[in-house]
Each structure stands twice: as C-alpha cells, then as structure tokens.
Amino acid sequence: GTAPVYKLILTMSVPAIFSMLIQSLYNIVDSIFVARVAPEALTAVSLAFPVQALMIAVGVGTGVGINSLISRRLGEKRLEDADHAASHGLILMLLSSLLFVLLGIFFTKPFFHLFTNNPVVFDMGCTYTYIVTIFSFGAYIQMFNEKMLQATGNMIYPMIFQLLGAVLNLIFDPILIFGYFGVPAMGVAGAAIATVGGQIVASIYSLYVVLKKEHQVKITLRGFQFHGRIVRDIYAVGFPSIVMQAINSFLTMGLNAILIGFSEVAVSVLGVYYKLQSFVFMPVFGLNQGVMPIMGYNFGARNRKRLTQAIKGGCLYAFIIMGIGTLLFMVFPAQLLALFNADEQMLRVGIVALRTISLCFIPAAFGIMFSTLFQATGNGGKSLFISLLRQVFLILP
C-alpha cells in the first residue's frame, strides 16, 4: 500500500519469476530426456501435454480466484473473510484433484484413441497420463499454498516450493527414465513418476509452512461449512481464468488433431514449441503473481494512482521479458531444437515454426498484463472474452 510501485513489483515478482523459470526448465529437461528414449516417446508426451495443461489450468485458475479474493479482503481490512476464503480454497483444490483422478482412470484410453493408431505411442501416452492424473493431489496442494501466500505478499516461500519440486524432478528424471543406482529403467513411466514425486514432496513441505509458520491468513477446517457466496466470489475470477487457460489445452488438442494428419514429427515440433515457449511465458506469469496482489490490494483500498502505476510497471517488465524471448527464437531456433535430439526433418519444420510463432510474444505481453488487471479487480469476464477471441474464434479456425 505504500512502497514505491516499480520497486515493489520487482521485489514481489523476482522470486516468482525465478521459480517459474525453474519450473520451465524442468518441463524442458523432462522432454529432453524422454526424446532420448525414442521418437515415439516424445510424440506420446506431446499428445499428453494438453491433459497436463488442463490440470494446471484448473489449479492455477482456481488459485487466481483465491489469490484475488484474499488480497482484496486484506486491502479492505476484512481479515476473517480472508481466512474463510483460504479455507474454502483448500477444499476446492482437493475436489479439483479428485476430478482429475476420475478423468484419468476413465478417459485416458478414449483420449489417446482419438489421436494415434501407433500402439507404441498409445501405450506410452496412456502410462504417462495415468500417473500424472491419479497422483495430481501433490500439484494441487502445492498450487493452493503458493497462491494463498502470494496473496499476502509472501513471494519467498512459493519460490521455495516450486524450486524444491523442480530440483527433485530434475534429480529423479535420469535415475527413473534410464535406470541408475540399481533402479530399473522405466522410460516414459519414470518421467511421470519423477514429476509427481517432486510435486508430492513439495506439497508436504508447503503444508508444513502454511500450518506451522505465522501468516496473515489462517486456514481452519474444524467445523467447516461451505458458503456459496465465498465459492461464487472465488470462481467469479477463477472460472474465467480456468477457461482462459483450458482454452489453450483444447487449442493444443485441436492443433494435434490437424498436425497428426501430416506426420508425428509435426506433433513433436508443436510439443517442443510449447515446452520452449514456457521458458518465455512462465516468467511473465511469475510477474503476474507479483503484480496481481498489488493491483488487488490497491483496488480494494481505492487507490487509483497506485493501481495505474502497477499496470504501467507490469507492462514495461512484461515487454522486456517477451522482447528477449523473441530474440532467442529468431536467432537460435536450430540450437533450441537440437536440445530435443531433432533430426533433419524436425529441424526443417521446426525452424520456420519457432521464428513465425515468436512474432506474437510482444503483443502477448500486453494482453496477459491487462488480463491480470481484470482478474485482480474482479472482472474475470473481460479476461475470458479476450482469450476466447484470441484462441477459439481466430487461431483454430
């Protein structure tokens, strides 16, 4: 409420940006290892990517709603209501995890039948998807604790949670995929186990921090009762955010369905692109995590000047990040693709693709930041409209 805004944005965003970069790194490394198992393994993981993206969309979107509501209630000095918002948020995250357990059990095979007749790709994809959906509770608990703490201005612990999960995944990946230290080589299954293993350990530590350390917000489940108003307030912002991010998942499914008609290489290139572009977009989403509480707090406190400064600062920093990303994709596409064991055909398709898609990065910086503004001020519907326009009504057709 009082610190210089541009400096405050950096103070609150840098830990989140750093943790998002680590998150992106382990997503990329995951695919780098898998690509060395077999070309079919990279295709299988690429086809599974929309399912993971949908899981993240539900978790992050719900977390955005929780973050926005808690930060606004703190700005309004309604501390007890902030506590109720956090308690409801934890229950909603656990219910979201249960939903994906059921979807993973009953819909994984029908999903992969839609995209491939290759039995090797089918088996690898199903194995990977079963593991990441059935054991998704770790990711959801971790995401809740991150968003709750970020709403109070605490950006260090969320960074530690993500860093812990990412580092553990990086350690587990080669051991479980290729079989070191007496562990049998598990291939794609090993990659999935490494991912959920890191998430579960990080979630346990995050629960310890949230329940045992001092914070502005307290979670109380004893005598808990659902209040429709609080759930409605969370999803007024959270649901549009879920849909916005889920749209990307369905967009990827649609693109995979189109590209598989050309070749499995085309699907792999798209999968590689999404892994690489996360290294550019994730820092901007980390920036969002630092800017959103500032926007929400000052909107709740009715401080228009600081809210406007937060918008300008967020746009400036997002522009810088996306500008760097554009340069990397334009100058080094072959080197980026080579990380994934790219053959001649993959390079031929991928170099043109990476350079072309990177043209959208800088405009996306402003679109993302204004969506953050709408979410922080409780106007999630406007963010939803922008995303529908960009990802449904224009791109896929």
Side-chain angles (χ1 to χ4, degrees):
T2 57
V5 172
Y6 280 67
K7 183 179 178 182
L8 181 64
I9 290 174
L10 288 178
T11 301
M12 294 185 64
S13 299
V14 166
I17 290 172
F18 178 70
S19 62
M20 286 292 194
L21 281 170
I22 297 297
Q23 189 98 350
S24 302
L25 180 63
Y26 94 73
N27 283 337
I28 290 171
V29 171
D30 217 27
S31 293
I32 290 172
F33 284 134
V34 166
R36 280 155 177 73
V37 173
E40 292 88 352
L42 183 58
T43 303
V45 172
S46 297
L47 288 173
F49 175 78
V51 178
Q52 287 183 287
L54 186 60
M55 289 169 52
I56 294 170
V58 172
V60 172
T62 304
V64 165
I66 296 164
N67 181 308
S68 177
L69 183 58
I70 291 173
S71 61
R72 280 183 280 139
R73 294 297 176 259
L74 291 175
E76 296 160 356
K77 309 302 181 187
R78 294 164 59 182
L79 304 185
E80 188 174 344
D81 286 347
D83 293 345
H84 288 316
S87 300
H88 278 70
L90 178 57
I91 298 298
L92 292 173
M93 283 292 206
L94 292 174
L95 291 174
S96 299
S97 173
L98 179 60
L99 171 66
F100 278 97
V101 170
L102 297 175
L103 290 175
I105 292 171
F106 294 109
F107 292 100
T108 294
K109 286 186 176 180
F111 173 81
F112 277 93
H113 274 306
L114 293 174
F115 296 100
T116 182
N117 294 318
N118 184 325
V120 177
V121 172
F122 180 84
D123 289 342
M124 286 181 171
C126 287
T127 299
Y128 187 89
T129 306
Y130 280 134
I131 294 169
V132 297
T133 52
I134 292 171
F135 295 96
S136 62
F137 64 89
Y140 278 95
I141 292 172
Q142 180 186 336
M143 282 189 278
F144 164 75
N145 290 327
E146 288 171 7
K147 297 299 182 186
M148 190 201 79
L149 292 176
Q150 287 165 358
T152 69
N154 186 333
M155 309 304 287
I156 300 300
Y157 274 123
M159 178 188 73
I160 294 172
F161 303 157
Q162 290 200 8
L163 189 61
L164 177 61
V167 170
L168 288 174
N169 183 72
L170 289 171
I171 294 170
F172 294 156
D173 255 340
I175 295 172
L176 298 176
I177 292 172
F178 302 115
Y180 295 130
F181 308 115
V183 177
M186 300 185 214
V188 168
I193 294 169
T195 297
V196 298
Q199 292 167 346
I200 290 170
V201 173
S203 72
I204 293 170
Y205 177 65
S206 71
L207 277 176
Y208 167 77
V209 170
V210 166
L211 297 176
K212 297 297 183 181
K213 303 288 184 179
E214 284 296 320
H215 309 292
Q216 283 180 274
V217 178
K218 304 291 183 185
I219 300 173
T220 305
L221 298 182
R222 183 176 296 175
F224 175 83
Q225 289 184 329
F226 262 115
H227 292 283
R229 175 182 55 81
I230 296 175
V231 175
R232 188 169 59 249
D233 287 344
I234 288 173
Y235 282 115
V237 173
F239 184 72
S241 181
I242 290 171
V243 174
M244 281 190 297
Q245 296 183 67
I247 288 167
N248 190 51
S249 176
F250 289 110
L251 171 65
T252 309
M253 291 181 199
L255 292 175
N256 281 340
I258 294 168
L259 293 174
I260 198 72
F262 292 90
S263 67
E264 290 182 1
V265 171
V267 173
S268 296
V269 168
L270 184 69
V272 166
Y273 160 70
Y274 274 113
K275 297 290 184 180
L276 290 170
Q277 66 99 34
S278 70
F279 209 67
V280 181
F281 278 76
M282 292 295 262
V284 178
F285 295 141
L287 177 66
N288 287 1
Q289 292 176 16
V291 174
M292 185 179 289
I294 300 171
M295 290 178 173
Y297 185 97
N298 286 288
F299 178 76
R302 298 294 182 262
N303 191 329
R304 185 183 182 89
K305 180 181 178 182
R306 287 179 63 79
L307 179 60
T308 304
Q309 288 177 330
I311 298 165
K312 291 178 179 178
C315 285
L316 173 64
Y317 295 136
F319 174 83
I320 293 170
I321 294 169
M322 289 299 200
I324 294 170
T326 303
L327 285 174
L328 288 174
F329 273 61
M330 284 291 184
V331 178
F332 302 110
Q335 290 84 346
L336 293 172
L337 289 164
L339 294 172
F340 298 87
N341 216 25
D343 57 18
E344 185 178 341
Q345 187 182 2
M346 191 171 177
L347 287 170
R348 180 174 55 81
V349 176
I351 289 173
V352 177
L354 294 190
R355 284 179 172 157
T356 304
I357 300 175
S358 67
L359 295 172
C360 80
F361 287 177
I362 290 175
F366 296 97
I368 292 168
M369 198 49 58
F370 284 116
S371 291
T372 303
L373 168 67
F374 297 142
Q375 291 165 353
T377 57
N379 291 289
K382 294 181 180 179
S383 293
L384 174 59
F385 174 75
I386 292 171
S387 289
L388 286 171
L389 183 66
R390 182 167 59 89
Q391 296 190 352
V392 176
F393 301 137
L394 297 176
I395 290 184
L396 196 55

